[in-house]
Amino acid sequence: MKGIPGFFTEDEGRWYARFARGLVGGIFVEVGSWKGRSTSFVGPVCRANKTRLVCVDHWQGSQDMLADTYARTLAEEDVEATFRANMKALAIDVEVLAESSLAAAARFAEGSVGRVFLDGGHDPATVTQDLHAWFPRLAPDGLLGGHDYDEKHPGLVRAVDAFVEPRGLQVKRGPRSTYVLVTGVKQRPG
Ligand SMILES: C[S@@+](CC[C@H](N)C(=O)[O-])C[C@H]1O[C@@H](n2cnc3c(N)ncnc32)[C@H](O)[C@@H]1O
């Protein structure tokens, strides 16, 4: 949404809103929210659909290509407070888990989450850990998607591809670097 700085383009945001729209009730988890730019696209959809929106972020940045950018900002700004203020201004009711992705995943039962969107750590080891932690949490008709599946993030792409191949899943790409894992025509966003 215009106004909140971050890492999501408008067309990615529209796709992300469609990713959320198919879930009525249930639980939507976003891993990696930063100041809430991506969240601002799905928040109104979750509110309308009475979906529980959970944002997971330890607000410590990460050890990937954006590490220095995060560190500079975190040194001079309370980014978690900015996120919370941005959500309040948009009247987005969000449950915040200010902890690591893996700690947050352990809170959810297997098969319980309708949507998971991964935009936390982008290094291959973290992406692999996140996929292993969150994919089993998906409900039978649940979907897992993510951000930065593109040539600028070859390690992330390798990690996602290595996860899907032995499971008979496919990576269906949305605009720019968005993606969702699909098993067939049934599992598509929107
Ligand atoms: C690329 S930013 C998210 C951008 C956001 N989705 C947007 O639209 O602007 C990545 C975020 O993930 C968080 N993060 C990175 N690794 C994490 C981890 N393992 N657990 C929790 N949060 C993590 C960082 O603190 C950072 O806020």
Side-chain angles (χ1 to χ4, degrees):
M1 198 145 287
K2 288 191 177 72
I4 299 181
F7 302 88
F8 242 65
T9 62
E10 289 286 323
D11 54 344
E12 288 179 324
R14 285 191 293 274
W15 176 91
Y16 192 34
R18 288 200 300 282
F19 177 73
R21 204 164 286 138
L23 182 65
V24 177
I27 304 171
F28 187 111
V29 175
E30 177 180 81
V31 178
S33 300
W34 193 235
K35 296 185 181 183
R37 181 166 173 81
S38 50
T39 325
S40 70
F41 291 96
V42 292
V45 178
C46 290
R47 184 173 52 219
N49 285 358
K50 300 196 181 343
T51 293
R52 178 180 159 201
L53 173 59
V54 181
C55 288
V56 178
D57 201 311
H58 53 27
W59 282 285
Q60 292 170 10
S62 55
Q63 302 308 312
D64 52 32
M65 65 195 297
L66 287 171
D68 291 346
T69 306
Y70 294 131
R72 271 196 303 275
T73 306
L74 288 164
E76 60 195 28
E77 181 179 346
D78 181 343
V79 179
E80 179 183 346
T82 302
F83 170 82
R84 289 179 184 273
N86 286 338
M87 294 303 101
K88 195 171 175 198
L90 292 172
I92 292 174
D93 190 15
V94 56
E95 189 177 321
V96 176
L97 295 179
E99 60 190 6
S100 80
S101 173
L102 297 188
R107 294 179 186 275
F108 295 89
E110 294 204 354
S112 67
V113 180
R115 295 286 184 277
V116 173
F117 190 78
L118 297 180
D119 195 17
H122 288 40
D123 63 282
T126 303
V127 172
T128 300
Q129 284 180 339
D130 278 351
L131 288 166
H132 280 274
W134 285 104
F135 194 76
R137 264 73 197 165
L138 284 182
D141 57 351
L143 290 172
L144 184 148
H147 198 230
D148 296 313
Y149 184 92
D150 64 9
E151 64 289 350
K152 291 184 212 150
H153 303 86
L156 182 150
V157 170
R158 274 198 306 279
V160 173
D161 288 349
F163 182 81
V164 300
E165 273 158 22
R167 292 171 175 78
L169 299 164
Q170 291 179 337
V171 180
K172 182 177 161 57
R173 297 189 66 174
R176 299 177 198 261
S177 71
T178 52
Y179 72 89
V180 59
L181 305 188
V182 296
T183 54
V185 287
K186 235 179 84 185
Q187 292 199 346
R188 287 185 176 167

